[in-house]
Every structure is written in structure tokens, then in C-alpha cells.
Amino acid sequence: MKKTSIIKLITAAMAASVLLTGCSDIEDIIDDIDEELEELEEDAEEEIEDEEDDLDEDEYEDDDDEDEEDEEVTGTTVITPDPSRDDAVPDKPAPGGAYSGTEFSTVDVYGKSVGTEIFSENTVTVVNCWGTYCGPCIDEMPELEEWYEEEQAAGRGVMIIGLPIDVDSGTAYMATDVMNDTGVTYPNLIIDSGLYEMFCEDLYCVPTTFIVDSSGNIVAGPFEGAYVQGYKDAVEDYLDSIG
């Protein structure tokens, strides 16, 4: 707008000057100035459009950066689990609470029977809820396997189990395919009503991991996101606390 006003003033001044000097080309001069004015206005509009496009592009890139940062921090896949469960079990307590009286009896992904004794036979158990479609879950599995092998060799009573949330006995092959690809040998269990109520009923995302004592009490967690070092630290803190 400022440029337009200046040019109008110049136009008026030049027109007055031409009148005073008696020049017969005043109309041509004014036409030339009008054309120049139109070109300047078009240039100004293009500059404004370019600036708006740049701002939109910057805002889009900022949104992408924020999304990447969120994914990097959380490392999760949001889920809405809705399996059909008929058995009545106690309400899910807050983290650190006990599932007094809750038991489960299920099979692993290879069909071997597994029950609540998997907790009582170990000092502490890491329960890792994951999905066969979840990238962050799969990415952390080799590290969990390495930790599992170390603990088995050390004999400290630290167990790791996986709970694939999107398989049942009929689709267990989806979990075993992932396990074969990642080299996982630690137990992975089919989720029954007891396991569902204990760990999956209020699950928001995968991976989500819990630390459980020999009585089936959650002593740390839930850990939402792939963070194996965090699980390790929680296990060490628990072992230190019980001497």
C-alpha cells in the first residue's frame, strides 16, 4: 500500500508538471505510469502469496518434526484391545497393587501349558505386552532376548515373558513368525481372562511392560514405550529392595 500511494503522488506531480510545461503527451505518460503501477501491485500480490506459502510449509515441517519427536520419545503404537472375556476376576488395581486371588491357566504360542506358577517360580518377572503389527515392539525384542539369555545364565530368578495382544491359539503363528525373525526364545503366552484382566484391560499402547514379583503383584510399571534399560533399572531396584 505504501508503494502504491507514493506512485500516485508521483503520477499527480508529473501530470501537474506536464500541464505547466504544455506537453501534449500527458495521456501517454499517465498510461505508462498506470501500467507500471499495475505491475508493481501484481508483484506485491505474488510476494504476499509466496510468503504465505513459505509460512504454510514451515508450519507443516514443524508439525512433522513434532510428530517425529513424539514417536521417538514414546516408541508406541496406540491400541484399543477388545477381546471377549467371560471370567469374572478382581478389578485392576493401581500400579504396585496386588492381584490377590487372580490366577491364569493358558498355553504359550507353541501350545505348552503355562499358569500362575511362572511368577512363583521366579523372583521377578518382566511382562512385555506387544503386538505383531507394532514396529517399536518388534524392534526391542532382540534386546529383550539378549537380556533374557543373560539372566538365564546368571540364575538370579529374573524371567521375561511376552504377551502378544493380537493373537489367540488359532493365530499364534503370527507371533511365532515374529519371534523367529527376531530370534526370541523367552516364553510368549496366549492371553486368557486372567492375564487380560491383570495386564491388558486398560492397555493404551504397545509395547507396555510391567515388573511383577513372585506373588503376582505389580511392583513397577506400566512402562509405555520401548525402553529396555528402564525395565532393567526397575528390576535392579526391586532386587535391591528385597536384599
Side-chain angles (χ1 to χ4, degrees):
M1 293 298 294
K2 291 183 179 179
K3 290 182 179 179
T4 303
S5 299
I6 292 172
I7 292 175
K8 286 182 178 179
L9 290 174
I10 294 173
T11 302
M14 292 181 66
S17 175
V18 171
L19 287 172
L20 291 174
T21 59
C23 179
S24 60
D25 295 331
I26 182 171
E27 292 182 358
D28 292 338
I29 293 172
I30 292 175
D31 289 341
D32 291 341
I33 293 176
D34 285 340
E35 290 178 3
E36 182 178 354
L37 175 61
E38 290 178 359
E39 291 178 0
L40 286 173
E41 289 178 339
E42 290 175 358
D43 291 342
E45 290 176 356
E46 290 179 358
E47 288 179 2
I48 292 173
E49 290 177 356
D50 290 341
E51 289 176 358
E52 290 176 347
D53 290 341
D54 290 341
L55 287 173
D56 290 340
E57 184 175 347
D58 290 342
E59 183 176 355
Y60 178 77
E61 290 176 353
D62 289 342
D63 289 342
D64 283 347
D65 291 341
E66 289 177 1
D67 291 341
E68 290 176 0
E69 289 175 0
D70 289 343
E71 184 175 354
E72 183 177 351
V73 170
T74 59
T76 62
T77 300
V78 175
I79 61 168
T80 306
D82 188 25
S84 176
R85 309 294 177 184
D86 297 326
D87 296 353
V89 295
D91 291 337
K92 184 173 190 246
Y99 292 93
S100 178
T102 302
E103 296 185 354
F104 68 89
S105 179
T106 185
V107 294
D108 66 15
V109 292
Y110 299 107
K112 179 182 177 181
S113 296
V114 182
T116 313
E117 68 275 0
I118 199 169
F119 295 147
S120 60
E121 291 174 352
N122 294 282
T123 305
V124 61
T125 302
V126 180
V127 180
N128 178 250
C129 302
W130 64 284
T132 61
Y133 55 86
C134 168
C137 303
I138 297 170
D139 289 344
E140 75 169 350
M141 290 175 75
E143 190 174 358
L144 286 171
E145 172 64 22
E146 181 180 0
W147 183 23
Y148 170 72
E149 293 177 5
E150 291 173 354
E151 292 296 348
Q152 292 300 294
R156 299 196 304 164
V158 177
M159 171 58 71
I160 297 174
I161 64 173
L163 299 182
I165 66 165
D166 57 329
V167 307
D168 56 25
S169 296
T171 57
Y173 67 89
M174 296 193 304
T176 58
D177 284 348
V178 174
M179 293 168 64
N180 290 336
D181 289 342
T182 56
V184 163
T185 62
Y186 55 81
N188 274 262
L189 313 184
I190 300 298
I191 299 172
D192 72 344
S193 59
L195 287 171
Y196 175 74
E197 293 290 342
M198 292 172 74
F199 302 110
C200 302
E201 184 176 33
D202 295 329
L203 209 60
Y204 172 72
C205 63
V206 286
T208 294
T209 303
F210 303 84
I211 311 300
V212 180
D213 68 11
S214 59
S215 299
N217 303 325
I218 294 178
V219 295
F223 297 90
E224 294 181 343
Y227 185 39
V228 176
Q229 187 58 54
Y231 320 153
K232 289 182 176 181
D233 292 343
V235 166
E236 295 303 324
D237 287 345
Y238 175 71
L239 292 176
D240 287 344
S241 71
I242 63 174

